[in-house]
Amino acid sequence: MPEITAAVVAEPNAPFELKTVTLDDPRADEILVRIKGVGICHTDLVAQAGYFTAELPAVFGHEGAGVVQAVGPEVTKVSVGDRVALSFTYCGKCACCSRGELAYCKDMTPLNSSGKRADGSKTMGDVSGSFFGQSSFASHALTSEKNVVKVPDGVPLEVAGILGCGVQTGAGAVLRSLDLRPESSLVVFGVGAVGLAAVMAAKLRGLATVIAVEVHESRRALALELGASHAIDPTAEDSTRKIREICPDGVDAILDTTGLPIVVNTVPDILAKRGQFGFVGIPPVSDIDLKLPGPLMAAMRNGWTFRGIIEGDSDVDGFLAELMDEYLKGNFPFDRMVTRYPFDKINEAIADQHDGRCLKPVLIP
């Protein structure tokens, strides 16, 4: 059993502390990965606050990438020395998994947020691990064939892990969940990593009207560079009025990454007939009652579709390979949103992200 360094959360809202923990040796179907880089996602911070089912102390992190160090005898997908990115896990047996709808696996919650393997065992002794099948806020992670994808040469390994959650969520929302046509118009509320991935995907799909609504000036500027046609500061102007000026008949699609009720409540005022509202953001506290927008009669008369989106409806292997291929072609520069931090600066990285000093922090163990 190797001793590894991991960022441990001892109790709800406690800071991450680097500690030495003991990690199990790989079982027959498991893979040991030496982590070379791991993104910080908002979901990790919700887990840090104690809103997931994993018992604390726990190790989180679910956007890891690294090099395979060891494999169990049943593993055939990867070999020692392979470069891999890690993503979420799933059962592979339920109705949704059988249809390729892996993010809607019936066991999505226990498999990804319980802090345990599927059989109820832990990988780190008394510390909860297996977060999204990896717990990659660590020097090493145990994972499985389901949630690893090979990273081709030319894709920077230390940042490839962010494809496994935030980036595939935003890109998949446009390319898969909403499946927008080139003539569609799109508003993205919040252009952090998820929103910017959606903007880049919209450019890939050929959308001409892509409106980014974001409070941070640097993020608005980057959104315009990466494919947005317009950028709105909601603190400086009425975003609803401005969107209606750009699209008088309303927009064909809205993607909300914020989960803010004030944002959701604007949807009926800007969504066109037959429009789609996709949402990936939820409030990090349980006492906010987030309701779908507008009365049902208005939704029916306008033919609106409201769509919750998990992981961009990704099938992991195929979609991540597609995004990496587009990166290599120069069409999907997801690494432009990244700021690298040493692993021991994890709390500083989180603070910088919260205050808008960086967009997507990636820790380098």
Side-chain angles (χ1 to χ4, degrees):
M1 291 187 178
E3 288 192 338
I4 67 168
T5 301
V8 179
V9 176
E11 58 186 18
N13 293 307
F16 290 93
E17 295 184 67
L18 265 60
K19 295 185 176 182
T20 299
V21 300
T22 300
L23 185 66
D24 285 358
D25 291 320
R27 291 182 175 180
D29 60 346
E30 291 181 335
I31 301 164
L32 177 66
V33 178
R34 172 70 171 93
I35 299 297
K36 295 295 186 180
V38 53
I40 297 175
C41 176
H42 179 70
T43 303
D44 296 309
L45 308 185
V46 175
Q48 178 191 19
Y51 290 105
F52 278 85
T53 55
E55 297 175 353
L56 300 180
V59 176
F60 301 118
H62 64 290
E63 293 185 340
V67 178
V68 175
Q69 297 289 290
V71 298
E74 296 178 6
V75 173
T76 59
K77 184 178 180 180
V78 296
S79 302
V80 172
D82 283 345
R83 293 156 36 99
V84 294
L86 284 57
S87 189
F88 65 92
T89 192
Y90 49 92
C91 78
K93 301 174 182 178
C94 68
C96 283
C97 287
S98 298
R99 294 192 296 265
E101 299 165 351
L102 308 182
Y104 305 95
C105 170
K106 72 178 183 65
D107 290 329
M108 181 71 170
T109 297
L111 287 176
N112 288 276
S113 63
S114 69
K116 302 173 183 178
R117 294 182 176 99
D119 66 3
S121 63
K122 291 185 176 181
T123 60
M124 300 180 181
D126 293 333
V127 177
S128 294
S130 300
F131 190 62
F132 280 70
Q134 53 181 284
S135 284
S136 49
F137 281 167
S139 59
H140 298 74
L142 270 182
T143 186
S144 71
E145 288 186 303
K146 290 190 184 76
N147 52 318
V148 298
V149 178
K150 289 185 180 180
V151 176
D153 292 341
V155 177
L157 181 60
E158 70 272 16
V159 303
I162 70 172
L163 293 167
C165 185
V167 172
Q168 75 176 357
T169 297
V174 170
L175 300 175
R176 298 169 73 93
S177 309
L178 303 177
D179 192 18
L180 298 181
R181 301 184 299 271
E183 64 270 20
S184 302
S185 54
L186 170 68
V187 171
V188 180
F189 284 103
V191 286
V194 175
L196 277 177
V199 167
M200 289 187 284
K203 184 178 180 180
L204 267 179
R205 185 55 63 90
L207 272 66
T209 303
V210 180
I211 305 167
V213 183
E214 169 61 49
V215 298
H216 293 292
E217 181 180 2
S218 61
R219 297 182 182 182
R220 294 195 303 273
L222 186 55
L224 290 170
E225 292 180 28
L226 295 178
S229 57
H230 303 78
I232 298 172
D233 177 0
T235 66
E237 56 185 328
D238 184 333
S239 57
T240 298
R241 179 185 59 78
K242 185 65 176 178
I243 291 166
R244 276 290 184 176
E245 288 178 3
I246 299 167
C247 298
D249 293 329
V251 293
D252 298 308
I254 299 168
L255 177 65
D256 177 44
T257 74
T258 70
L260 297 173
I262 193 172
V263 170
V264 176
N265 289 338
T266 67
V267 169
D269 298 323
I270 59 175
L271 194 59
K273 285 184 177 294
R274 298 288 292 165
Q276 299 184 81
F277 171 50
F279 49 99
V280 302
I282 56 173
V285 291
S286 58
D287 60 349
I288 292 179
D289 184 16
L290 186 62
K291 298 182 183 298
L292 289 174
L296 287 178
M297 185 62 72
M300 182 191 73
R301 286 175 175 170
N302 288 287
W304 289 334
T305 299
F306 302 143
R307 177 70 194 278
I309 298 170
I310 299 176
E311 298 289 353
D313 286 51
S314 175
D315 61 356
V316 182
D317 278 314
F319 192 47
L320 294 193
E322 177 185 334
L323 294 179
M324 288 188 278
D325 183 57
E326 293 294 347
Y327 171 83
L328 292 172
K329 293 176 181 176
N331 299 328
F332 194 75
F334 70 93
D335 56 336
R336 289 196 57 191
M337 66 177 76
V338 168
T339 301
R340 294 166 174 81
Y341 289 82
F343 188 36
D344 62 0
K345 301 296 183 183
I346 180 171
N347 294 303
E348 290 89 334
I350 292 168
D352 285 353
Q353 184 183 43
H354 179 269
D355 294 337
R357 289 188 291 270
C358 75
L359 198 153
K360 184 66 176 182
V362 169
L363 305 171
I364 310 298

